């Protein structure tokens, strides 16, 4: 059935001249939401329905997220939400993206980093008739991109080159990005569980230039009963303040080798890069794109 206001034309005429009809705007918004790839679990996330409790760093992160959404697209920096699992980082990131889609009709796109890399790898399969740039172009061109769980993928030369291509392209085009990560931002270059080591030194430097870093901790929302409220969160936060730390993801010899300092880290990195390069050269499925090589991570 055509719209009773515009008779299906998508336009109305008022005091300011021809304007887009509400039906057309609603159709565009619905399409943008469908294309944003928001997981069903987060489909109703809003900044207003985020349960807040007395946690100064969390409240600061939420306030910064609100300012970002209100100012978009006139924003100079994206956001990087850092902290342990379950504290609402993805909720905040998706809420901001939903708001700018609904209010500004921006082209938003959500990807878990591991899923994004999996989809890119799938293009190397000759059965899959999708080119890697068919996947990468929407990621690099989105008005607002949310990359969830940065650093979760096992580091490799291919992973680093692929992520650098995406991040550098968005940086150069001044397109804001929101990242979430479980890896703390510490200056120790020998800590294999630091954000710097997980994403690589080049990307880490770029992230600091293109994002406001918002690091906070708190109780795990996922471990709370369904009817838990701010008082329950406050109690848990006070009881466990300073105790929730990220578990070490590096065990055994790899961590022990760091005793000699940064030089051994660089040697290990170079040796690993050589092995990976040799493996890719032996793999007939290796592909290339402008800006870097693509192999399997």
């Amino acid at each position: 059935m055509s719209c009773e206001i515009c008779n299906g034309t998508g336009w109305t005429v008022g005091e300011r001249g021809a304007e887009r009809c509400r039906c057309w705007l609603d159709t565009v918004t619905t399409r943008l939401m469908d294309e944003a790839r928001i997981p069903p679990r987060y489909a109703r996330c809003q900044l207003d329905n985020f349960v807040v409790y007395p946690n100064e760093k969390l409240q600061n992160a939420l306030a910064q997220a609100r300012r970002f959404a209100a100012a978009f697209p006139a924003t100079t920096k994206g956001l990087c939400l850092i902290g342990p699992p379950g504290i609402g980082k993805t909720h905040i990131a998706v809420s901001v993206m939903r708001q700018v889609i609904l209010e500004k009709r921006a082209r938003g796109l959500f990807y878990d980093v591991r899923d994004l890399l999996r989809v890119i790898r799938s293009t190397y399969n000759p059965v899959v008739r999708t080119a890697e740039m068919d996947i990468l172009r929407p990621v690099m061109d989105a008005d607002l991109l949310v990359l969830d769980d940065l650093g979760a993928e096992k580091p490799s030369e291919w992973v680093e080159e692929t992520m650098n291509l995406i991040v550098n392209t968005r940086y150069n085009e001044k397109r804001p990005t929101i990242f979430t990560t479980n890896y703390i931002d510490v200056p120790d270059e020998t800590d294999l569980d630091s954000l710097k080591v997980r994403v690589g030194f080049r990307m880490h430097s770029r992230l600091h230039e293109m994002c406001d870093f918002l690091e906070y901790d708190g109780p795990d929302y996922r471990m709370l009963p369904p009817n838990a409220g701010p008082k329950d969160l406050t109690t848990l936060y006070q009881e466990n303040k300073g105790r929730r730390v990220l578990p070490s993801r590096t065990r055994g010899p790899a961590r022990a080798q760091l005793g000699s300092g940064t030089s051994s880290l660089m040697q290990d990195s170079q040796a690993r890069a050589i092995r990976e390069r040799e493996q890719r050269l032996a793999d007939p499925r290796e592909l290339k794109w402008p800006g870097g090589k693509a192999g399997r991570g």
Side-chain angles (χ1 to χ4, degrees):
M1 178 181 290
S2 62
C3 175
E4 296 180 355
I5 299 175
C6 68
N7 293 320
T9 64
W11 292 93
T12 60
V13 179
E15 296 179 357
R16 294 182 296 180
E19 297 179 340
R20 281 296 187 182
C21 181
R22 185 74 221 180
C23 70
W24 182 89
L25 296 174
D26 290 342
T27 299
V28 170
T29 303
T30 300
R31 176 177 57 80
L32 290 170
M33 290 295 289
D34 290 341
E35 294 175 351
R37 299 186 75 261
I38 297 173
R41 182 174 296 278
Y42 299 99
R44 298 187 181 277
C45 284
Q46 301 176 39
L47 295 176
D48 289 340
N49 64 20
F50 187 84
V51 181
V52 186
Y53 58 96
N55 178 339
E56 184 177 353
K57 289 186 177 180
L58 168 60
Q59 292 171 341
N60 175 65
L62 196 61
Q64 185 73 2
R66 292 183 188 279
R67 287 192 291 269
F68 177 93
F72 189 90
T75 51
T76 58
K77 284 190 172 185
L79 304 174
C80 185
L81 298 161
I82 304 173
I87 61 173
K89 301 185 302 295
T90 305
H91 183 126
I92 294 175
V94 171
S95 296
V96 171
M97 186 174 72
R98 289 187 73 251
Q99 184 171 330
V100 301
I101 293 175
L102 292 171
E103 296 181 359
K104 315 293 177 66
R105 293 178 184 82
R107 291 174 300 150
L109 188 60
F110 175 96
Y111 261 110
D112 179 283
V113 170
R114 290 163 298 187
D115 187 42
L116 173 59
L117 294 171
R118 177 191 61 78
V119 173
I120 296 172
R121 287 192 187 97
S122 72
T123 64
Y124 307 153
N125 186 337
V127 178
V128 180
R129 297 184 178 181
T130 304
E132 55 197 347
M133 287 309 296
D134 292 338
I135 305 298
L136 287 169
R137 184 54 59 193
V139 173
M140 295 187 291
D141 288 349
D143 296 328
L144 178 61
L145 175 67
V146 173
L147 287 178
D148 196 38
D149 219 355
L150 182 66
E153 180 78 4
K154 182 180 179 181
S156 73
E157 185 182 22
W158 178 78
V159 169
E160 185 173 342
E161 287 185 355
T162 304
M163 294 304 298
N164 269 296
L165 172 65
I166 294 170
V167 172
N168 285 342
T169 300
R170 294 190 60 81
Y171 169 82
N172 290 332
E173 297 297 328
K174 295 185 177 180
R175 295 191 176 102
T177 307
I178 299 178
F179 302 89
T180 76
T181 181
N182 294 334
Y183 291 90
I184 57 176
D185 185 36
V186 293
D188 186 359
E189 297 181 358
T190 66
D191 185 351
L192 295 187
D193 294 321
S194 68
L195 180 62
K196 179 182 289 189
V197 173
R198 295 296 299 190
V199 303
F201 297 169
R202 286 183 299 164
M203 184 186 295
H204 181 262
S205 174
R206 188 70 80 212
L207 289 176
H208 269 276
E209 189 173 0
M210 63 189 293
C211 291
D212 288 320
F213 274 46
L214 304 173
E215 187 170 345
Y216 67 97
D217 61 4
D220 190 337
Y221 282 87
R222 301 186 183 105
M223 302 300 291
L224 296 172
N227 59 345
K231 290 184 178 179
D232 304 286
L233 287 163
T234 301
T235 300
L236 283 174
Y237 178 61
Q238 295 298 332
E239 290 178 352
N240 298 282
K241 194 171 184 179
R243 298 180 190 176
R244 279 202 75 195
V245 295
L246 296 179
S248 175
R249 290 159 170 79
T250 309
R251 306 291 182 186
R255 182 169 289 280
Q257 290 174 0
L258 296 179
S260 59
T262 305
S263 60
S264 63
L265 176 65
M266 297 302 296
Q267 291 172 1
D268 291 345
S269 177
Q270 292 171 353
R272 184 173 64 250
I274 292 172
R275 288 196 300 270
E276 291 173 347
R277 188 178 297 111
E278 291 173 346
Q279 291 171 358
R280 286 200 309 280
L281 290 175
D283 188 344
R285 291 175 293 179
E286 183 192 20
L287 298 176
K288 294 182 179 180
W289 66 58
K293 290 184 178 180
R296 291 181 299 169

